[in-house]
Amino acid sequence: MEWENHTILGLSGHPRLELLLFELIFIMYVVILLGNGTLILISILDPHLHTPTYFFLGNLSFLDICYTTTSIPSTLVSFLSKRKTISLFDCAVQMFLGLAMGTTECVLLGMMAFDCYVAICNPLRYPIIMMSMAAGSWIIGAINSAVQTVFVVQLPFCRNNIINHFTYEILVVMKLACADVSGNEFIMLMATTLFILTPLLLIIVSYTLIIVSIFKISSSEGRSKAFSTCSAHLTVVIIFYGTILFMYLKPKSKKTLNSDYLEATDKIISIFYGVMTPMLNPLIYSLRNKDVKEAVKHLLNRRFFSK
């Protein structure tokens, strides 16, 4: 029996909760578009920000907009619509885009950690290399997602076609398959090791070297400036990987493993993980970065006085 070309998801049994989530997520999505859009705009318009570091920051902001746009609009529509269905093609597209953006962000955060290290320890050597590494992050994300999505879509789906989730994640869709998915799980394990754990290891090594280098700086002003160079990125890394670890490593009681309450909780956490981090990123970088704040002030003053 093949996929019947539709899938059901969401919190169908909790209409009031769906309405509340719609309002909250809609507001947060607007903040994501405005905050990340502003960072992209100032990184393009302000000549002082035409550096590899802010090139990475612009990439991260663009990535957050793309990532949230692949899932949030369809989720908001599902909250208000009684017909919560999707075609297999649309499901595959959302799987591909979501995994591609997620993989790219993991790799990009690793590259940004290395960028922080080079900016402090070897500031004259890295512009072309870092831009190439940013482009490589997007390519890696697209290739990883394409391979995994193709293998999942080819599986036979002969079970209940109800996906009890907000978004079409590959792990959730694989549960519907009536074939052996050990090959898919092996590919996913390899991809996780390469594109999540390896960037995390790069981040740990980079910040270890950064801390060692900072303590070698004699002046307190120099140490303070070095810390401020990477503090915003470190905050984003902690939030990003902290939410991932909380999502997938939190303990589950056997009594509540298959309960409706636990399933609803996991879905809400996944939505806020996918929304909160992209919303906080521009706030963290703008509030903890003097260059960004000055660029925003300069842009606003220029627009105000031009009138």
Side-chain angles (χ1 to χ4, degrees):
M1 179 172 152
E2 298 179 353
W3 182 292
E4 296 180 358
N5 212 36
H6 70 278
T7 300
I8 304 174
L9 76 163
L11 287 170
S12 302
H14 305 81
R16 292 185 179 180
L17 183 56
E18 283 192 338
L19 181 59
L20 176 61
L21 285 175
F22 173 86
E23 295 171 350
L24 291 175
I25 294 173
F26 177 78
I27 293 172
M28 294 165 73
Y29 183 52
V30 172
V31 174
I32 289 170
L33 296 179
L34 292 176
N36 287 287
T38 300
L39 281 179
I40 294 172
L41 186 63
I42 63 173
S43 66
I44 294 174
L45 296 180
D46 195 315
H48 298 93
L49 301 184
H50 291 175
T51 63
T53 298
Y54 294 101
F55 175 75
F56 271 116
L57 182 55
N59 268 266
L60 183 62
S61 294
F62 181 68
L63 178 64
D64 283 338
I65 291 176
C66 293
Y67 177 70
T68 53
T69 301
T70 62
S71 59
I72 291 181
S74 61
T75 300
L76 293 176
V77 171
S78 73
F79 283 151
L80 299 181
S81 175
K82 293 182 179 180
R83 184 176 179 270
K84 304 176 186 293
T85 63
I86 191 173
S87 67
L88 175 58
F89 175 78
D90 291 338
C91 178
V93 170
Q94 189 175 118
M95 277 195 301
F96 168 77
L97 293 176
L99 182 58
M101 299 299 110
T103 303
T104 302
E105 182 152 358
C106 288
V107 178
L108 191 63
L109 286 173
M111 296 301 101
M112 290 177 71
F114 184 67
D115 172 74
C116 289
Y117 166 70
V118 177
I120 292 173
C121 303
N122 296 286
L124 300 178
R125 297 183 179 180
Y126 72 110
I128 296 178
I129 297 176
M130 301 314 295
M131 291 183 183
S132 299
M133 294 175 83
S137 300
W138 287 90
I139 295 172
I140 289 172
I143 293 174
N144 174 51
S145 183
V147 171
Q148 294 204 51
T149 301
V150 167
F151 277 101
V152 170
V153 171
Q154 290 179 346
L155 291 171
F157 297 97
C158 54
R159 296 179 183 176
N160 192 336
N161 61 349
I162 297 177
I163 294 182
N164 195 9
H165 209 275
F166 285 127
T167 57
Y168 302 94
E169 297 180 2
I170 283 183
L171 277 174
V172 178
V173 176
M174 280 171 55
K175 293 179 180 180
L176 304 181
C178 58
D180 182 16
V181 295
S182 58
N184 299 77
E185 292 174 345
F186 177 76
I187 293 173
M188 189 171 295
L189 176 63
M190 294 298 296
T192 300
T193 303
L194 286 174
F195 307 128
I196 296 181
L197 298 183
T198 301
L200 181 58
L201 178 62
L202 178 60
I203 290 169
I204 294 172
V205 172
S206 296
Y207 275 101
T208 300
L209 295 174
I210 287 172
I211 292 172
V212 171
S213 299
I214 288 175
F215 281 115
K216 290 181 180 179
I217 299 175
S218 57
S219 67
S220 59
E221 183 180 352
R223 288 195 297 270
S224 177
K225 185 176 180 180
F227 272 119
S228 65
T229 300
C230 54
S231 60
H233 173 260
L234 184 58
T235 305
V236 171
V237 167
I238 292 172
I239 294 174
F240 182 76
Y241 280 99
T243 51
I244 289 178
L245 294 175
F246 177 77
M247 271 290 296
Y248 293 101
L249 299 182
K250 65 180 185 297
K252 291 182 174 64
S253 168
K254 292 183 178 180
K255 294 181 179 180
T256 60
L257 187 60
N258 296 315
S259 68
D260 292 338
Y261 173 78
L262 182 60
E263 290 175 347
T265 301
D266 284 346
K267 287 185 285 185
I268 294 172
I269 292 174
S270 70
I271 280 292
F272 278 92
Y273 156 72
V275 179
M276 286 293 290
T277 303
M279 185 186 72
L280 290 175
N281 283 352
L283 296 177
I284 292 169
Y285 279 107
S286 60
L287 293 176
R288 299 179 64 88
N289 192 306
K290 293 181 180 180
D291 292 335
V292 172
K293 289 188 285 187
E294 289 297 324
V296 172
K297 291 179 182 178
H298 178 71
L299 179 64
L300 294 176
N301 290 336
R302 188 169 63 179
R303 292 191 62 183
F304 177 78
F305 287 111
S306 64
K307 296 180 179 180

